[in-house]
């Protein structure tokens, strides 16, 4: 009886790992070309994980604990054996919205809400920052953060919040921008001063819309 239970649990675990791997592949495959800055700043990638499609439909890459796990795995923010729960999803989504408010304030030259700054500071200090010394017979001495399974999301939040703080207070803050294409809410780092869009797709969509508007205007004369 016990052996059968062990086999069932092992089978469920294997299926869960396979599903997670499939989700990671979908995340990587659907992302296409990286929005400038999102490949080096997980905070930009997090804020951009919720956007709208061309038709106005909201697209959220973090709409379930499983999708959150896949998203974090694809960016090497958690180990493959990391387990996330529903409250973990809520924590990371809340951080995303707080960072969006800070990015919006920075781009718009406005003062951010004090409570939002406080929330990000809490995320910054939510996990121990010291890298502890460990010894393994095969690897020798190593250093790593000590964050048990119950603190995985705290560790992730601290890492992403640290990245956002460094971005907003650093030199790259001056090139942080928001895509000017209608319906797109993504943030990116400008690769040149006149760049207005986060991707070639958004740029092409705006230029096509402008060309269509010009043709309609010419045809109505």
């Amino acid at each position: 009886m016990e052996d059968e239970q062990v086999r069932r649990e092992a089978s469920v675990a294997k299926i869960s790992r396979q599903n997670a791997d499939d989700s990671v592949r979908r995340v990587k495959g659907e992302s296409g070309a990286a929005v400038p800055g999102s490949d080096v700043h997980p905070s930009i990638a997090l804020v951009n994980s919720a956007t709208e499609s061309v038709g106005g439909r909201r697209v959220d890459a973090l709409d379930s604990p499983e999708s959150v796990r896949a998203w974090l795995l694809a960016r090497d923010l958690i180990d493959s054996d990391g387990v996330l729960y529903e409250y973990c999803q809520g924590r990371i989504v809340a951080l995303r919205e707080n960072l969006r408010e800070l990015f919006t304030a920075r781009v718009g030259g406005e003062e951010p809400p004090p409570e939002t700054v406080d929330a990000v500071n809490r995320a910054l200090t939510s996990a121990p920052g010291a890298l502890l010394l460990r010894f393994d017979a095969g690897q020798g001495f190593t250093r790593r953060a000590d964050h048990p399974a119950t603190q995985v999301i705290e560790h992730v939040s601290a890492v992403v919040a640290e990245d956002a703080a460094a971005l907003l207070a650093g030199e790259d803050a001056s090139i942080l921008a928001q895509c000017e294409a209608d319906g797109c809410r993504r943030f990116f780092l400008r690769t040149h001063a006149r760049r207005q869009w986060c991707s070639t797709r958004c740029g092409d969509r705006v230029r096509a819309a402008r060309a269509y508007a010009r043709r309609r205007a010419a045809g109505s004369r």
Side-chain angles (χ1 to χ4, degrees), residues 132-136 140-146:
L132 302 182
L133 183 65
R134 300 297 186 194
F135 180 80
D136 179 86
F141 286 109
T142 60
R143 296 191 69 189
R144 64 176 182 268
D146 191 9

Side-chain angles (χ1 to χ4, degrees), residues 36 175 177 188-197:
I175 57 174
F188 65 98
L189 297 183
R190 294 187 190 274
T191 53
H192 54 79
R194 298 181 61 186
R195 179 161 185 158
Q196 298 173 280
W197 308 298

